Structure formats: structure tokens, C-alpha cells
Amino acid sequence: MGELILFHRKRAGLSREAFALLAGVGKTVVYDLEHGKETIRMDTLLKILQVLNIKMQFNSPLMEEYKQKQSKYLDS
């Protein structure tokens, strides 16, 4: 995650300080994340990703299977 954020921040031409200001977080948060900190609050991560226009997607094969069964049941 840190490598992804660092890459995008640098490609955007933003210093850590400018990026932190845009995201509404402290520059230490940005530094820690870019250097592999393993824990971060979800709301903080979402702010950071939003500034960089990075989308997160969750996939659940179990949920997809459930939805398919529900759809088949409703179509019957």
C-alpha cells in the first residue's frame, strides 16, 4: 500500500506536506504509510486514496454465490 501511495503522490508532483494538507491528515501519517506502517485508520486511508483518485474494491466469492442463488430463486 505504501509503495502505491508513494508512486501516485510523486507522479502527482506533491510533496508530503502538500499531499497531507490536501488529504487533511498529518505529514507523519503520510510518511509512516509510505514507509510500511501496517496499521492505519480506515477513514484516514480513504482520505488519502481519494486525493490520489485510487479506488478500493472488495470482492467476496461467497457473497457473489449468495446473490446468484437469490437471483435464481427470485426468477423462479
Side-chain angles (χ1 to χ4, degrees), residues 51-66:
V51 169
L52 296 172
N53 197 27
I54 298 172
K55 307 280 187 263
M56 246 185 350
Q57 182 176 349
F58 296 96
N59 293 314
S60 169
L62 184 60
M63 181 61 83
E64 290 302 317
E65 180 183 324
Y66 172 77

Side-chain angles (χ1 to χ4, degrees), residues 26-47:
K27 63 183 177 185
T28 304
V29 171
V30 176
Y31 177 88
D32 288 346
L33 186 57
E34 289 180 349
H35 286 84
K37 183 175 181 183
E38 294 182 6
T39 58
I40 186 169
R41 290 177 47 125
M42 180 64 88
D43 62 330
T44 302
L45 179 59
L46 292 175
K47 289 177 186 178

Side-chain angles (χ1 to χ4, degrees), residues 1 6-7 9 11 15-16 18 20 24 27 31 34 36-38 44 46 53 55 64-65 67-68 70 72-74:
M1 181 68 67
L6 176 63
F7 173 81
R9 177 179 65 78
R11 288 294 298 256
S15 68
R16 272 193 201 103
K27 63 183 177 185
Y31 177 88
E34 289 180 349
K37 183 175 181 183
E38 294 182 6
T44 302
L46 292 175
N53 197 27
K55 307 280 187 263
E64 290 302 317
E65 180 183 324
K67 287 180 179 180
Q68 287 176 1
Q70 285 293 93
K72 288 178 185 178
Y73 175 74
L74 294 175

